[in-house]
Amino acid sequence: MMIAELVLSFVLFIGALLHAYGSFLTFAWGSPELVWSLGSSGFAVLLALLCGLRARRQSDRALSALAAIGCAGWIAIVLSFGVSIGNPADPRVLYHVVVTLLLFAFAMRGFRAGAKS
C-alpha cells in the first residue's frame, strides 16, 4: 500500500505543479489572482509532500491526522472552486478530488491503525 500512497502523492504533486504553471499562463504578473492561485499550488505541494512522508511513516498517528486534515481542507477548497466556476465536474476538480480522497482514506486508515497500537 505504501507504493500506492507514494504514487498518489506524486500525482498530487504533479497536479500542483501544473496548477502553478497554468496560473502563470492565465494571470497577469503580480495580480491578486496569481498570488492566490500560487498559494493554492503551494498548499497542494506541501500536502503532497506530507502525504508522501506519511506513506513512509505509517505508524505515526499524529502525521496521519495532519495528512487527513490537510486532505479534507484541500477537498473543500477544490470543490468550492468547482462550484465557483459553475462546474463541479470539471476535470481539474475531479482530478484533485479523486486523488485527495484516496490519500485521505490512506491517512484515516493510518490514524485508526495507530489508535489500536
Side-chain angles (χ1 to χ4, degrees):
M1 296 310 264
M2 179 180 68
I3 292 173
E5 278 186 85
L6 289 172
V7 168
L8 287 168
S9 296
F10 183 72
V11 169
L12 181 60
F13 183 80
I14 294 300
L17 294 181
L18 290 171
H19 182 271
Y21 176 72
S23 299
F24 281 114
L25 293 178
T26 304
F27 301 116
W29 183 257
S31 68
E33 293 85 3
L34 178 62
V35 172
W36 280 106
S37 188
L38 291 177
S40 293
S41 297
F43 182 87
V45 164
L46 288 173
L47 182 60
L49 294 173
L50 181 68
C51 289
L53 179 62
R54 201 218 76 77
R56 303 283 301 185
R57 297 174 54 187
Q58 295 185 8
S59 63
D60 190 333
R61 191 167 186 236
L63 187 57
S64 293
L66 288 173
I69 291 166
C71 286
W74 185 239
I75 291 166
I77 290 168
V78 172
L79 287 174
S80 296
F81 171 75
V83 170
S84 75
I85 63 170
N87 186 9
D90 183 280
R92 298 169 293 182
V93 173
L94 293 178
Y95 173 92
H96 282 275
V97 168
V98 169
V99 170
T100 310
L101 272 174
L102 292 169
L103 288 169
F104 176 79
F106 280 120
M108 288 303 297
R109 183 172 151 249
F111 182 74
R112 283 193 216 105
K116 295 175 186 172
S117 298

